[in-house]
Amino acid sequence: MNRNINEHKKAWRNILVYIEYHDRKVHPISYQLIGKAYELASSIGYNVCGIVIGKDVALSKQQLQNYPLKSVFLYEADEYFKADLYEKILSNCICEMKPSVVLIGGTLEGRSLAPNVAVTFRTGLTADCTALYLRDADLVQIRPAFGGNIMAQIVTTDTRPQIATVRYNVMEPIEPTFDYETEFIIKKVDKQIVSKIEILKTIPIEKKKGIAQQQILVVAGRGVKQKKDLAMLKELANLLGGELASTRGLVERGWMASDRQIGISGQTVRPKLLIACGVSGSVQFMAGIGNVDNIIAINTDQDAKIFNIAHHSICGDLHEIIPQLIRCFLDASGDKHI
Amino acid sequence: MIKIAVCIKQVPAYSEGEMDPKTGVLLRGGLTSVLNIYDLPAIETALRIKEEKGGEVDVFTMGPPKASDVIREAYAMGVDRGYLLSDRHFSGADVLATSYTLMQGITSVSHYDLILCGKQTTDGDTGQVSGALAKWLNIPYINWVTKIVKLEKDSIIIEQMMENEEVTIKTKYPCLVSVEQSIFIPRIPSLKLKIAAKKKEIKVLSLSEMQDQNKNHYGLRGSATKVEKIFPPTKVKKRPIVHKTGIEAASDIFKIIQQIK
Ligand SMILES: Cc1cc2nc3c(=O)[nH]c(=O)nc-3n(C[C@H](O)[C@H](O)[C@H](O)COP(=O)(O)OP(=O)(O)OC[C@H]3O[C@@H](n4cnc5c(N)ncnc54)[C@H](O)[C@@H]3O)c2cc1C
Ligand SMILES: Nc1ncnc2c1ncn2[C@@H]1O[C@H](COP(=O)(O)O)[C@@H](O)[C@H]1O
């Protein structure tokens, strides 16, 4: 493998954010990446640039205004993601721009793309980073290892670009409050690039908001005794205007769908309020909790680890507490109507 | 007749693994190890394709000599041949070096039409090795695959689950497909195959069997990322725990929620 070692290191500057774009909408993770990129760039005097690949990319301009982006490269391409095509476009852009750091979302699309790009440049890829900072020009990448039992600090010292993926909701999104003249540059996709992937059909997945987008979550863990007890937790979630999520424990039991799972092998959530019922608080589970202002935990075991992160720790039986809590809400809403 | 290679990995049985604090390399000694659960559906997918269309299913694993255990497990499910990529120069590999070694190993054995990988491993947990491998092999990469729709003479039609849509994709062989756990429920190894698996040969491939024998391209040295240090996750300070009966606790929580909302 020929490595693009040190001698070129100085030639690689600035930060490139892969801005994910579906159905003419910028994926919310992109604002989280831009936020992190801006923080990194500010620490060393770099610029932040973005790349958008997809259909009707010009329509992304409006959604990218007032962010601290120096320039955004727009590549008009197929409507649907094709790993080989998108990778080549992104790699070409990297060749031209020579960014020191490339940030990609740890989404389904991002995790298809990132390893391909990393191999193209024979460079390092650190997946699912939870913290990032620059030490001189080297990106210090922190990620959970061993299912979250340990954190690893990783650097890519000899090759460029340094590629990191960050999962959805792990970083704070940035607000569009910058007085910035972003340059939008329309780029042509190289005619030589062809995809070996043919898309025959696409069926939109029913657009209910996933647990990652909820403001309020009730989380069921293995402390829930029977499957039918989930109904009361679901009712509570409904009363609060939120959704029911769960630990892997219940997904393994087949009681909950896997897209409801929070954690290192599930989703990262960032609600305003999270009520954990019968959840022990394993490191793998907690790795999926972003900054949550209010965590209420109900557990019969006073030593449960969930109490280490909960803001309100209630030692008690969920099967007794939840029905009463539902009653409180029903009574309260009843009052209003009378 | 379709030739399929499945990449499988041996992982610690539980996630309380240890790491060498100096090198950041996983220490596997002393831990019980198992076949990565996400690789089982990949093996199952390969076997089903073979049963339908005929062909051969080989498995590849990179790891220490003990990793041959997972090849025996694959044999017990009905896999034809197993290759263990093992050499002291392979150890300490990151995504780049792991995928490079797998590419070298696979291409040194044969030409495969289809390469299958699991969604992720439970120790590395990146789900990135498969994509990197596809790029080394320079073949199309399709991950998050939930269904094999149709096998044609020179191409495969599959369903990929993306965030907003279910995508039906057609691509020619050779290609690399990384499967979701839901694609198939893995079969239970038969007793007969289990016994036969014990005697079956496992081919070990070391650096000298690879086309590229430059040891700087493998293992720790061939890795672009370096683990500088490892540390325990930070713990948040404990807050008081309230013990309450059902009604008391409920009205407490109710008040807290009213304040928040
Ligand atoms: C590689 C790897 C990845 C993983 N990824 C994830 C992941 O993404 N997400 C995830 O969640 N897990 C994950 N796990 C599994 C994780 O280690 C735990 O097994 C899991 O989170 C435990 O779920 P739990 O808290 O529901 O169950 P348990 O750990 O069994 O805890 C149940 C809790 O309920 C309490 N309880 C019991 N009865 C009651 C009652 N009547 N009222 C109130 N409380 C009660 C108990 O005191 C206990 O604390 C992963 C594991 C590995 C190895
Ligand atoms: N050491 C290895 N040997 C063989 N296959 C591997 C190895 N590491 C990863 N893989 C394959 O790549 C997939 C993703 O692994 P990972 O990127 O580690 O999460 C796994 O499910 C395997 O199919």
Side-chain angles (χ1 to χ4, degrees):
Chain A
M1 283 178 271
N2 57 323
R3 292 280 161 71
N4 52 34
I5 317 244
N6 270 326
E7 47 201 277
H8 311 298
K9 219 162 133 175
K10 288 227 164 58
W12 295 77
R13 298 173 52 79
N14 303 319
I15 300 178
L16 180 65
V17 175
Y18 177 72
I19 297 172
E20 214 171 296
Y21 190 64
H22 305 145
D23 301 332
R24 296 160 194 85
K25 285 243 304 270
V26 170
H27 192 291
I29 191 170
S30 306
Y31 301 114
Q32 300 172 0
L33 296 179
I34 295 169
K36 184 40 94 179
Y38 178 62
E39 192 187 302
L40 295 173
S42 308
S43 74
I44 192 171
Y46 279 172
N47 291 315
V48 180
C49 298
I51 171 171
V52 185
I53 309 173
K55 183 147 193 265
D56 297 334
V57 280
L59 298 178
S60 69
K61 284 187 202 172
Q62 216 162 22
Q63 302 164 54
L64 294 169
Q65 231 116 61
N66 302 323
Y67 290 98
L69 291 162
K70 175 91 171 41
S71 37
V72 176
F73 308 103
L74 304 170
Y75 289 84
E76 188 71 22
D78 294 29
E79 168 140 33
Y80 296 105
F81 176 74
K82 292 174 176 171
D84 57 353
L85 178 79
Y86 276 49
E87 181 271 314
K88 290 197 181 99
I89 296 173
L90 175 56
S91 291
N92 279 355
C93 179
I94 292 172
C95 271
E96 284 178 27
M97 188 200 146
K98 292 204 168 29
S100 175
V101 173
V102 179
L103 296 185
I104 300 176
T107 53
L108 297 187
E109 180 168 316
R111 284 197 282 158
S112 295
L113 205 50
N116 286 241
V117 179
V119 169
T120 295
F121 291 92
R122 315 289 194 254
T123 191
L125 162 63
T126 308
D128 299 340
C129 297
T130 52
L132 293 167
Y133 61 91
L134 279 170
R135 187 178 61 209
D136 299 326
D138 287 335
L139 184 67
V140 179
Q141 306 156 106
I142 317 265
R143 78 175 298 259
F146 264 121
N149 287 302
I150 227 154
M151 305 302 286
Q153 179 170 320
I154 298 167
V155 286
T156 302
T157 48
D158 299 339
T159 54
R160 290 291 182 268
Q162 310 167 82
I163 306 179
T165 67
V166 178
R167 292 249 241 140
Y168 185 39
N169 274 345
V170 168
M171 307 288 175
E172 282 302 335
I174 191 167
E175 297 299 326
T177 54
F178 292 79
D179 193 9
Y180 234 80
E181 274 300 322
T182 302
E183 188 187 4
F184 289 91
I185 304 165
I186 296 173
K187 304 282 283 183
K188 279 254 161 349
V189 174
D190 187 344
K191 284 270 179 320
Q192 311 258 286
I193 303 178
V194 280
S195 174
K196 291 186 200 157
I197 292 168
E198 186 190 342
I199 292 180
L200 302 181
K201 191 169 78 180
T202 60
I203 302 170
I205 298 170
E206 198 196 324
K207 258 289 189 281
K208 48 178 182 326
K209 270 210 248 163
I211 56 169
Q213 285 93 19
Q214 294 298 327
Q215 295 293 329
I216 295 172
L217 285 176
V218 175
V219 184
R222 266 201 303 231
V224 176
K225 292 277 142 32
Q226 301 173 67
K227 190 173 178 190
K228 67 174 169 50
D229 295 335
L230 287 176
M232 63 179 179
L233 293 173
K234 180 100 182 94
E235 186 182 354
L236 176 63
N238 285 344
L239 284 170
L240 293 170
E243 282 286 338
L244 182 63
S246 88
T247 64
R248 179 149 119 183
L250 295 192
V251 176
E252 276 170 0
R253 275 189 197 163
W255 293 5
M256 293 287 292
S258 60
D259 65 353
R260 299 265 128 180
Q261 181 188 317
I262 295 173
I264 197 157
S265 52
Q267 307 208 42
T268 305
V269 297
R270 226 178 218 286
K272 285 212 183 79
L273 168 66
L274 186 151
I275 308 177
C277 308
V279 174
S280 64
S282 66
V283 278
Q284 294 87 6
F285 171 76
M286 302 218 270
I289 312 239
N291 276 334
V292 180
D293 296 332
N294 298 286
I295 298 175
I296 302 175
I298 304 171
N299 198 305
T300 42
D301 174 9
Q302 62 172 7
D303 296 323
K305 278 187 284 184
I306 189 78
F307 290 150
N308 293 341
I309 63 156
H311 304 88
H312 303 281
S313 302
I314 286 109
C315 188
D317 188 335
L318 73 96
H319 302 86
E320 287 170 20
I321 297 170
I322 300 300
Q324 296 292 346
L325 186 56
I326 290 172
R327 166 143 302 154
C328 288
F329 279 101
L330 290 176
D331 287 353
S333 62
D335 284 349
K336 273 184 218 139
H337 292 298
I338 293 164
Chain B
M1 271 284 285
I2 167 166
K3 283 197 69 146
I4 308 174
V6 189
C7 297
I8 61 173
K9 191 184 181 193
Q10 189 178 46
V11 296
Y14 52 96
S15 57
E16 250 91 320
E18 279 177 272
M19 240 185 223
D20 185 322
K22 281 204 203 84
T23 60
V25 170
L26 310 185
L27 296 175
R28 296 229 168 65
L31 289 173
T32 34
S33 308
V34 292
L35 173 53
N36 175 34
I37 48 158
Y38 295 103
D39 295 340
L40 291 167
I43 299 176
E44 182 64 33
T45 306
L47 293 173
R48 299 243 181 159
I49 293 175
K50 179 184 159 174
E51 281 155 11
E52 197 188 313
K53 293 278 158 186
E56 287 165 14
V57 177
D58 297 350
V59 292
F60 287 82
T61 189
M62 181 187 90
K66 209 167 105 308
S68 58
D69 291 354
V70 298
I71 294 181
R72 299 233 178 265
E73 246 178 272
Y75 280 163
M77 288 174 76
V79 161
D80 295 307
R81 275 176 302 270
Y83 297 90
L84 170 66
L85 315 179
S86 196
D87 192 300
R88 65 191 170 85
H89 293 110
F90 296 168
S91 73
D94 70 350
V95 174
L96 190 69
T98 302
S99 56
Y100 187 73
T101 313
L102 286 170
M103 178 274 277
Q104 283 289 327
I106 290 170
T107 51
S108 76
V109 170
S110 183
H111 176 84
Y112 291 93
D113 303 304
L114 178 64
I115 297 173
L116 291 169
C117 283
K119 171 196 177 132
Q120 63 180 73
T121 53
T122 52
D123 60 346
D125 215 8
T126 70
Q128 307 278 249
V129 166
S130 48
L133 174 60
K135 189 70 204 176
W136 283 121
L137 292 162
N138 198 19
I139 59 176
Y141 174 51
I142 300 124
N143 58 349
W144 323 116
V145 170
T146 50
K147 197 172 163 192
I148 308 285
V149 180
K150 200 165 169 224
L151 298 154
E152 295 181 341
K153 206 173 162 316
D154 61 347
S155 51
I156 185 168
I157 301 176
I158 49 194
E159 250 173 51
Q160 178 190 45
M161 197 60 80
M162 295 303 281
E163 212 167 295
N164 299 334
E165 59 274 319
E166 202 182 272
V167 189
T168 309
I169 284 176
K170 179 173 171 169
T171 191
K172 285 207 166 69
Y173 305 124
C175 59
L176 193 149
V177 169
S178 163
V179 301
E180 286 286 308
Q181 211 177 359
S182 63
I183 189 160
F184 288 118
I185 296 169
R187 67 194 60 192
I188 312 286
S190 80
L191 192 63
K192 206 176 104 208
L193 284 173
K194 238 177 166 162
I195 295 164
K198 290 214 177 84
K199 294 202 207 85
K200 236 176 131 155
E201 190 206 4
I202 290 173
K203 185 108 176 71
V204 182
L205 303 176
S206 63
L207 186 60
S208 56
E209 271 85 20
M210 304 287 145
Q211 198 185 27
D212 173 13
Q213 295 184 10
N214 184 337
K215 54 182 185 298
N216 293 330
H217 296 166
Y218 297 87
L220 200 56
R221 288 203 231 176
S223 297
T225 58
K226 302 277 178 275
V227 178
E228 285 192 322
K229 65 170 183 188
I230 52 168
F231 53 96
T234 43
K235 293 216 166 60
V236 187
K237 220 179 92 237
K238 260 198 161 180
R239 294 181 181 84
I241 296 169
V242 227
H243 296 256
K244 290 253 163 84
T245 62
I247 299 174
E248 282 173 334
S251 73
D252 267 14
I253 300 172
F254 179 69
K255 278 182 211 134
I256 296 164
I257 295 174
Q258 295 297 63
Q259 276 166 19
I260 297 165
K261 284 190 91 179

